[in-house]
Amino acid sequence: MEQFIPTKKIDAIAYSDSLINKKHKDNKYFEDINEPYKRLKEALAQHLIVHESGGWPKVDESLKSLTAGKSSQSVVSFKKRLLLSKDMSIVDTLPNHDAALVAGIKSFQARNGFEVDGKITSTLIDELNIPLEDKIEQLLINLYRMRWMPSLPEGNMLLVNIPEFLLYAVESGKKVWSMNVVVGKQGYHTTTFTDEMTTIAFSPYWNLPPSIIKEEIMGKIAADPNYLASQNMEIMSKGGGLPVIR
């Protein structure tokens, strides 16, 4: 959900505190009928607790070169960071790159769309070091978006997590299968909706919309005559205007 009309800026922390600690009839209504909204609000409450206790420590970039079995004092703050995000369940002050640390890393990776391999990388550290205030703002934005989404239907469903670029098959409330999907980008957003599926087309042809052909494809064809072939696309017909491409 986007807002293109300027709105008054709010203090994310103060607003979060109001949302969590004061009783709002409308918000309770959303929780009752919208499970994702409820879970986001629970996550917001946990982040607010961490903020009130002083925030989470920064993970040292040098840890990306620390191999299993080695030690570093920076591991202690790394483990504390994972503890505060509930990726580790017990306090661990040992400075060792051990099985407990690897398990915590894998938990964080699974929750944040990383390959679950337990490895410490620069990308992982960057994600861990996103400021807590930014995470709280992100949660507030998505809480707002969820107010506009219909409640998840009961039973089996296909669920697309747009930011994760993944489609999930859900049976009895559990994810049983997933696959990568292509979604829109800024300016060409994927529409959010809920509907009943009646048919499935396997390996369907898809003709590109004229707007995409005009604004994105024609320039690439001019720069590289082999662009369509490299993308497994073809021109179906040519008229007086734009070609038909699939």
Side-chain angles (χ1 to χ4, degrees), residues 123-245:
T123 305
L124 178 71
I125 293 174
D126 287 345
E127 184 71 21
L128 286 159
N129 285 336
I130 291 176
L132 179 59
E133 291 78 6
D134 290 359
K135 284 291 188 180
I136 289 174
E137 289 182 4
Q138 185 181 44
L139 285 165
L140 287 172
I141 290 170
N142 283 294
L143 275 167
Y144 178 79
R145 287 171 172 161
M146 287 309 305
R147 293 186 183 189
W148 295 92
M149 287 295 293
S151 301
L152 290 177
E154 296 181 356
N156 300 337
M157 70 185 79
L158 295 177
L159 177 66
V160 177
N161 186 343
I162 296 174
E164 197 177 9
F165 297 87
L166 284 175
L167 176 149
Y168 293 98
V170 179
E171 294 181 356
S172 302
K174 296 182 179 180
K175 298 173 185 177
V176 296
W177 180 75
S178 65
M179 65 174 289
N180 295 331
V181 293
V182 177
V183 303
K185 59 184 180 180
Q186 187 171 5
Y188 302 93
H189 295 167
T190 298
T191 301
T192 55
F193 69 95
T194 299
D195 203 350
E196 183 177 349
M197 180 180 292
T198 57
T199 59
I200 298 177
F202 291 96
S203 300
Y205 284 113
W206 179 62
N207 289 350
L208 275 65
S211 60
I212 293 180
I213 295 175
K214 179 180 178 180
E215 297 174 19
E216 299 185 41
I217 303 301
M218 294 305 293
K220 294 177 180 178
I221 294 175
D224 178 9
N226 294 318
Y227 173 76
L228 292 181
S230 69
Q231 301 298 312
N232 294 319
M233 295 189 291
E234 60 183 344
I235 294 177
M236 298 304 299
S237 64
K238 295 182 178 179
L242 295 171
V244 176
I245 300 176

Side-chain angles (χ1 to χ4, degrees), residues 53-122:
S53 65
W56 52 44
K58 189 172 183 179
V59 178
D60 194 332
E61 178 73 21
S62 66
L63 287 175
K64 65 183 180 182
S65 60
L66 187 70
T67 57
K70 300 296 183 179
S71 299
S72 168
Q73 283 302 315
S74 296
V75 170
V76 178
S77 60
F78 189 0
K79 288 181 175 179
K80 182 178 179 181
R81 169 65 179 86
L82 294 172
L83 178 69
L84 290 171
S85 57
K86 294 191 173 182
D87 293 296
M88 293 183 68
S89 58
I90 59 174
V91 176
D92 186 342
T93 58
L94 294 176
N96 306 329
H97 186 324
D98 50 22
L101 178 63
V102 173
I105 293 171
K106 287 183 176 181
S107 172
F108 183 88
Q109 289 174 326
R111 292 192 307 102
N112 290 275
F114 285 82
E115 180 182 356
V116 182
D117 56 13
K119 296 180 180 179
I120 305 173
T121 64
S122 294

